[in-house]
Amino acid sequence: MENYVTIFRQLMEKLEKLDEMAAMDNRGNAEERLSMVENAQNELDESQNNIRQIQEDIQTKNKITTNYQKLLDELFTTMEKALTIDSLNVFSEKITKILSDIQRVKFLLSVSSVSGTTIIVGANGSGKSTFVNSLSGGALQNITVIPAQKNLHFVEDAFDRRNQTISVYKKAYLRESNLDVKSDTNGTQTERNLLFPFTFMITALVNDVAQLSTDQRDQPPEKWRKSIWDQVLNIWERMIPEVSFHIDSIHGRLLAQRDGQRYSINRLSDGEKCILFYIANVLLANENGYIIVDEPETFLNPAVYNKLWDILISARSDCQFIFTSHNVEFISARLNASIVWCKQFTPPDIISLRLLDTNVSIPKALLTELVGSRKTIVFCEGTKESYDYKIFSALYLDQFTVIPVGGHDKVIEYTKTFNNLPAWVGNSAVGIIDGDGLVRESNAKQNNDTIYRLPYNEIEMLLLDEHVLQCILNLSKSDSETSTQIESFKEKAIALIAKQKDEIVYNITKNVIDAKLRTTFIDSTEGRSIQSMEETIARLPEDLDVKAVADDISTEINNAISKGKYDKLLEMCTLKRRLTSGLANKMIQPDYTNFAIARIQKDSQLQKYLYDKIGLN
């Protein structure tokens, strides 16, 4: 890296000499030539800072990969060649390309020590695809970019098609085409860049087979080497064995073949053409390079794209693959992949890329989804089919990203883990769990830990809150009718709770004792010895005192029953299905639970009431 700094000094010296030449040159516009030199000098000054940063970052790492070293060597070679240029105009153009290549090398510092697959994730609009665009082009030949936007159509009469070779194709089209899609111009070259890559890729492969057959005609078979097309076929047959290909060398094209019938390659499905496109471009990439793929699951179902990329990554083990993806299934299937978080990329050089530590309790795929969220995370119990998720999504859709993670232990664990991520993630999480009989004694402490307990033992009881009942009944009844029906429902509910009191006492007692057992063994700070363990176990009957816990709960329920405290009983009740699917279905509304959730999704005032009641902030 010291050599790069030395070469920069030499480039600056060369510019000064060219500056003198331009000043003495009476031909052409001297002012314009001087301005050209001055601009190049300013840009080189700025790029020296980039070189120094690359140098400092590499020195802090234990090692860099072979691929990154090759990237540096290419940059070094390009800079050396620039020193031999005498023409001011040519030198100025070369400097511009060198500056772009320095930026690319700098951007890839985030993965300079990563030897395996890398996945770049980030929120929509963070600039991931634009970042991919920035890595294409330039003089660095070991960067191959496969775009997300693909026009996979074979154009037989494309101009200059028959002159395509593999080397010509690689130089012209192993690059990102998103820039052309986003371009304001619609010129011939843009049209060519968008429509012809698939055509020229096929043509180059066919021409290579023909050229190789001619070159090897006089050699013995044992000296023949396989064409790139043969390598493509080997992988294709592992993916879609029922479809084969016939080379039409006269017209320089491929014909697909299924069940003995040949047909145009354009009649392949989008997925089949995409597989062919991916296989060929990956195999055509230069050795020991970077293969950067934007949205690698395009046109493909999970079973296909996971198998395909496993095969391609194995086939090009000399290369480092960098993917950009939102797809959780794709990310989950990439074993031992490193995750790079793109917080923001603003062209040309404002970039925030950080390597995420995936050795945390949160699953890798979920972690990548979370850091891509621009909203605070809310972890809740259940699945996406559970009432927890449906209710909280209705309440917090605009303010939070709601993620169901299973049991309450996972909610607590994931919340604390996410909040312990580095500050540059720029996000935080809270968790919501059921009361489970513990609200009275631990709600305040849990809130301080960003874990909120519902004011009910079960989420379903939230739907039986008196205000919720009122909002539903008022849709079809007068205020007086609503009031009468609610009072009748409350009486029936209290009677049912009184009848099932012993079951409720048992359920709450079990939750309390379970929690104390977990606290005793997981959070114990006593001495680590067999004796201390035996003493802890011996104290359990006295410390837990199951009967005392059950008596306290029973007394609390009896008092609430005798005083007709519906709200208090609702907080303690564990008879979720018997009250919601049973009593509420009969007395309030058929399919009550789903009806109530649908009402919450539509009623903004009801949402605010429940939002305030839960107390999440």
Side-chain angles (χ1 to χ4, degrees), residues 42-254:
N42 292 336
E43 290 175 334
L44 273 172
D45 282 334
E46 294 178 5
S47 285
Q48 283 195 65
N49 295 329
N50 288 335
I51 283 288
R52 292 191 188 95
Q53 182 181 340
I54 294 170
Q55 183 180 10
E56 292 171 2
D57 287 350
I58 287 177
Q59 288 173 346
T60 62
K61 298 177 184 291
N62 294 325
K63 61 179 181 179
I64 60 174
T65 62
T66 301
N67 308 75
Y68 194 73
Q69 184 61 57
K70 183 176 179 181
L71 204 63
L72 293 174
D73 291 342
E74 280 198 72
L75 176 62
F76 180 81
T77 301
T78 305
M79 292 163 63
E80 280 190 316
K81 288 181 178 179
L83 288 171
T84 66
I85 299 172
D86 293 327
S87 167
L88 180 58
N89 289 332
V90 175
F91 183 73
S92 181
E93 291 175 3
K94 183 64 68 173
I95 286 294
T96 300
K97 292 182 179 180
I98 289 174
L99 298 178
S100 297
D101 287 340
I102 290 170
Q103 201 70 275
R104 292 180 180 87
V105 171
K106 178 187 174 185
F107 288 161
L108 288 173
L109 267 173
S110 297
V111 294
S112 62
S113 61
V114 176
S115 58
T117 300
T118 300
I119 302 174
I120 298 177
V121 301
N124 287 328
S126 61
K128 298 185 301 300
S129 291
T130 306
F131 171 67
V132 168
N133 291 342
S134 72
L135 297 177
S136 62
L140 303 175
Q141 297 300 309
N142 69 330
I143 296 180
T144 295
V145 178
I146 302 178
Q149 293 165 329
K150 290 173 274 289
N151 295 277
L152 305 180
H153 184 80
F154 186 81
V155 183
E156 190 168 336
D157 60 353
F159 175 74
D160 203 30
R161 183 171 71 83
R162 299 304 295 273
N163 292 325
Q164 286 295 311
T165 65
I166 283 178
S167 61
V168 170
Y169 170 76
K170 288 168 67 172
K171 184 176 181 180
Y173 292 110
L174 280 188
R175 57 183 290 282
E176 177 60 64
S177 67
N178 284 329
L179 285 175
D180 296 303
V181 173
K182 297 176 181 179
S183 174
D184 292 331
T185 61
N186 293 304
T188 302
Q189 187 59 44
T190 295
E191 180 179 310
R192 182 185 179 95
N193 290 339
L194 287 173
L195 298 180
F196 289 172
F198 186 68
T199 299
F200 288 160
M201 181 195 78
I202 297 297
T203 305
L205 291 170
V206 170
N207 289 346
D208 181 62
V209 171
Q211 184 63 50
L212 196 59
S213 298
T214 301
D215 294 344
Q216 298 181 155
R217 180 180 300 170
D218 297 328
Q219 298 180 10
E222 60 269 16
K223 291 187 177 181
W224 291 359
R225 67 175 177 84
K226 286 187 174 182
S227 66
I228 295 293
W229 175 245
D230 290 322
Q231 299 173 46
V232 171
L233 278 182
N234 286 338
I235 296 178
W236 174 270
E237 289 168 358
R238 295 172 64 182
M239 295 299 303
I240 310 179
E242 64 272 17
V243 176
S244 59
F245 294 99
H246 169 74
I247 293 180
D248 179 358
S249 57
I250 295 177
H251 298 94
R253 63 181 180 178
L254 286 177

Side-chain angles (χ1 to χ4, degrees), residues 351-380:
I351 182 69
S352 176
L353 285 179
R354 298 295 183 96
L355 194 62
L356 277 177
D357 179 11
T358 56
N359 295 316
V360 294
S361 61
I362 302 175
K364 178 174 61 180
L366 177 57
L367 180 62
T368 59
E369 180 183 355
L370 298 178
V371 297
S373 173
R374 297 185 183 277
K375 303 174 184 176
T376 301
I377 307 300
V378 172
F379 291 111
C380 70

Side-chain angles (χ1 to χ4, degrees), residues 406-454:
H408 71 276
D409 287 337
K410 287 295 183 185
V411 173
I412 296 171
E413 179 185 6
Y414 286 6
T415 302
K416 292 183 178 180
T417 299
F418 189 82
N419 287 331
N420 285 330
L421 291 176
W424 49 258
V425 169
N427 203 349
S428 61
V430 296
I432 304 179
I433 57 179
D434 289 343
D436 291 332
L438 305 175
V439 177
R440 303 179 309 282
E441 58 188 62
S442 60
N443 190 49
K445 177 183 177 183
Q446 292 287 343
N447 282 354
N448 289 337
D449 291 334
T450 64
I451 304 296
Y452 292 79
R453 286 190 181 275
L454 285 173

Side-chain angles (χ1 to χ4, degrees), residues 473-474 476-487:
L473 288 171
N474 275 340
S476 58
K477 299 182 182 298
S478 65
D479 289 345
S480 61
E481 290 175 322
T482 294
S483 178
T484 300
Q485 194 163 346
I486 288 177
E487 289 304 315

Side-chain angles (χ1 to χ4, degrees), residues 482-541:
T482 294
S483 178
T484 300
Q485 194 163 346
I486 288 177
E487 289 304 315
S488 177
F489 176 81
K490 289 164 58 176
E491 290 177 8
K492 294 286 187 182
I494 293 172
L496 179 60
I497 291 171
K499 183 178 180 180
Q500 302 296 331
K501 187 196 75 171
D502 290 345
E503 179 183 342
I504 297 172
V505 170
Y506 172 83
N507 290 334
I508 297 176
T509 302
K510 180 179 180 300
N511 289 335
V512 172
I513 298 302
D514 281 346
K516 288 187 175 181
L517 283 171
R518 287 196 302 272
T519 302
T520 299
F521 289 105
I522 295 175
D523 296 335
S524 177
T525 56
E526 297 184 14
R528 296 172 178 266
S529 68
I530 297 298
Q531 181 179 353
S532 66
M533 189 183 300
E534 290 177 336
E535 291 173 354
T536 299
I537 293 174
R539 291 196 305 268
L540 280 179

